Amino acid sequence: MRVNFYTLGCKVNQNETGALAQLFESNGYTVVEAGEEADVYVVNSCTVTNFGDQKSRKWLRRQKREHPQAVTVLTGCYPQAFPEEAAAIREADVVTGSGNRRAILQDVEKVLHGEQERVVDIRPHHKGEAFEELPMDKFADHTRAFVKVEDGCNRQCAYCVIPRARGPVRSRSEASILEELHRLAGAGYREVVLTAISLPSYGSDTGTDLAELVEHAAAVPGIERIRLGSLDPDMLTESAIRRLAAVPQLCPQFHLSLQSGCSKTLRAMRRPYTTEQYADIARRLREAFAPTPVSLTTDVIVGFPGETEEDFEESLRFVLSQRFLKVHVFPYSRRSGTPAFDFPDQIPEHEKEARSRRMNRAVEAVRAEEAAAMQGWRTPVLLETPLSQTLFTGYTPQYLPVYVSAPGHRSGDIVPVILGEWDGQHCHAALAPCENG
């Protein structure tokens, strides 16, 4: 039997798709790429925006039209957040949510073997439920491993449907995480990324915390670099920052979630911090890691309901003041099922797009300036995608993308380089000479 997966959304979704692929493979299925014939087609959905739901429905309709005998599966956040709507999609033969992922295989085989014509198996999240183990042992790029350590979110941001889709915070056991890290190190992975729905919430339900997890992960032989997924600034305590800064394997790059550089807009979004508090946390991170330079990346929403031109300008000024290495700018997208969907003073689409373009131009200029300031640095780079026998893409610890010619090396190696010019997408680097001459 052949199975094809289509994934929408975040790194957590991608990680879970990889785990599902391993589950199917271990039960005799062959995973095939897009465009190849399959017996089962699975879309792992994202429901952050209505557009994500539309993409899932469109993909399902196409697969059912082109492969009427195949079993089509809708899984993930969309069915979990909107179960009745998802169950009504007749192009999906199997509909499951973001919980009890392991049941997908059994549900698919019920339809494949004719036991049931259709299966809708969406199990509600509930307080006190356990983290579902879906370990991953191999990744598409073979250089960086993504390890899911937590699921769920206890916050109620006005624009976000994720708590509804993912349920309450559930932390994976540290023993399970460390066991997986040992396997990954044994398989040759030297860099790991700890991913989650609410990463700084890790351990809040089990009596531990993220800093302790990072300390113990760094002690795994073979793990040379650790990265963290997105962090809420208000959840980074002074103690946590100090402990993280003491871990040499932790890359000094933090995706510190912002959403708006205007405190008035942050209140409307129901984010539990001000821009002043955000700036203070950013300063503490930079000071704790000094003299090692820290790079910050973030997300910003423009055109949130009620955001005036003055609010936008304030947000833009704050964003530029933080000198982010990378900013993901999103025009606000109304999401049914969230409080902000019905907020007054919705911003016209053309204005949201205009603000998005202005913000993007400004932050890309800062990115270029920050990259230029790194020219001449000596720094290690993890070699990733080979573009030829000698040319690779890669990333510095600060997550600056580079091109480097590295004869005699291969993907997954970590090599010292001297950073050169920035071309707008990558920094052109050269292998550094050995420090001992």
Side-chain angles (χ1 to χ4, degrees):
M1 288 289 181
R2 294 151 66 87
V3 58
N4 169 249
F5 290 91
Y6 174 52
T7 308
L8 297 167
C10 63
K11 291 292 186 184
V12 172
N13 261 20
Q14 294 173 34
N15 177 279
E16 290 171 344
T17 295
L20 289 176
Q22 285 187 204
L23 176 65
F24 274 78
E25 284 180 323
S26 65
N27 283 272
Y29 287 76
T30 300
V31 177
V32 299
E33 299 299 319
E36 297 184 61
E37 290 290 327
D39 303 286
V40 181
Y41 292 88
V42 182
V43 55
N44 191 6
S45 63
C46 172
T47 197
V48 169
T49 66
N50 290 326
F51 181 64
D53 297 350
Q54 293 168 11
K55 288 181 73 173
S56 294
R57 292 192 296 267
K58 182 178 179 180
W59 189 84
L60 285 165
R61 285 195 296 269
R62 178 181 175 186
Q63 304 314 317
K64 185 55 71 176
R65 181 176 66 251
E66 296 180 358
H67 314 283
Q69 302 307 312
V71 174
T72 50
V73 183
L74 172 60
T75 189
C77 291
Y78 176 25
Q80 193 71 43
F82 302 97
E84 292 181 4
E85 181 179 317
I89 301 172
R90 303 306 298 181
E91 290 85 359
D93 300 312
V94 176
V95 182
T96 70
S98 61
N100 197 21
R101 296 283 199 168
R102 290 182 178 276
I104 291 178
L105 180 62
Q106 289 74 29
D107 291 338
V108 164
E109 295 197 332
K110 288 176 184 177
V111 179
L112 275 174
H113 299 154
E115 297 173 26
Q116 291 184 226
E117 183 177 339
R118 191 167 187 263
V119 175
V120 176
D121 185 12
I122 305 169
R123 308 184 188 190
H125 288 301
H126 57 86
K127 187 176 181 179
E129 69 178 286
F131 180 92
E132 183 180 17
E133 294 281 351
L134 287 172
M136 276 281 285
D137 297 311
K138 58 183 179 179
F139 299 84
D141 61 10
H142 305 293
T143 56
R144 179 185 294 120
F146 293 83
V147 179
K148 180 183 171 185
V149 303
E150 181 273 346
D151 207 339
C153 181
N154 293 341
R155 298 205 148 166
Q156 298 294 328
C157 299
Y159 54 82
C160 187
V161 76
I162 293 304
R164 178 171 171 174
R166 286 285 180 170
V169 166
R170 312 178 299 284
S171 299
R172 183 178 177 183
S173 77
E174 189 175 284
S176 171
I177 296 167
L178 295 178
E179 180 184 348
E180 183 169 346
L181 290 177
H182 278 281
R183 292 200 309 272
L184 291 168
Y189 291 98
R190 302 171 75 182
E191 179 173 316
V192 296
V193 185
L194 304 184
T195 65
I197 297 301
S198 178
L199 184 58
S201 295
Y202 178 79
S204 61
D205 56 330
T206 58
T208 183
D209 57 42
L210 181 61
E212 179 178 299
L213 175 62
V214 171
E215 291 165 348
H216 292 171
V220 175
I223 299 299
E224 297 184 29
R225 302 210 311 197
I226 299 170
R227 291 193 190 275
L228 301 179
S230 182
L231 300 166
D232 285 310
D234 61 295
M235 299 176 79
L236 285 179
T237 66
E238 185 67 32
S239 171
I241 291 172
R242 287 199 309 270
R243 291 169 65 189
L244 292 173
V247 179
Q249 292 91 335
L250 182 63
C251 290
Q253 176 258 326
F254 298 92
H255 191 84
L256 206 58
S257 179
L258 177 59
Q259 308 308 347
S260 176
C262 171
S263 291
K264 170 193 159 191
T265 303
L266 288 173
R267 286 194 300 273
M269 290 177 168
R270 302 179 187 172
R271 299 291 287 174
Y273 52 84
T274 65
T275 54
E276 291 78 14
Q277 290 168 326
Y278 184 101
D280 184 57
I281 293 296
R283 177 187 58 79
R284 292 183 188 184
L285 277 169
R286 288 180 164 125
E287 289 178 352
F289 280 79
T292 301
V294 167
S295 68
L296 298 180
T297 59
T298 199
D299 303 307
V300 174
I301 297 171
V302 299
F304 190 75
E307 182 189 70
T308 65
E309 179 63 24
E310 292 75 18
D311 296 335
F312 170 74
E313 292 290 348
E314 181 180 335
S315 182
L316 178 57
R317 286 193 299 272
F318 181 82
V319 170
L320 297 182
S321 75
Q322 294 301 300
R323 308 297 297 177
F324 293 109
L325 184 63
K326 180 68 176 177
V327 180
H328 299 279
V329 181
F330 302 93
Y332 168 70
S333 177
R334 292 182 74 183
R335 186 61 182 98
S336 55
T338 65
F341 183 84
D342 296 316
F343 278 6
D345 302 320
Q346 297 283 335
I347 310 300
E349 292 298 324
H350 68 86
E351 181 60 30
K352 289 190 284 189
E353 293 295 338
R355 292 179 188 179
S356 180
R357 289 191 295 270
R358 287 172 61 194
M359 178 79 77
N360 267 313
R361 283 195 299 268
V363 298
E364 283 303 311
V366 170
R367 178 170 168 81
E369 292 167 5
E370 291 296 297
M374 298 179 191
Q375 190 169 341
W377 281 15
R378 179 188 177 101
T379 186
V381 163
L382 173 69
L383 301 180
E384 299 201 16
T385 305
L387 303 178
S388 69
Q389 288 186 335
T390 59
L391 186 64
F392 296 84
T393 64
Y395 284 91
T396 70
Q398 283 79 13
Y399 211 59
L400 184 74
V402 303
Y403 286 137
V404 60
S405 178
H409 292 279
R410 61 183 181 178
S411 295
D413 288 348
I414 297 176
V415 299
V417 306
I418 302 295
L419 299 180
E421 292 186 355
W422 175 254
D423 68 7
Q425 297 293 328
H426 294 81
C427 181
H428 292 258
L431 282 180
C434 295
E435 290 184 312
N436 59 8

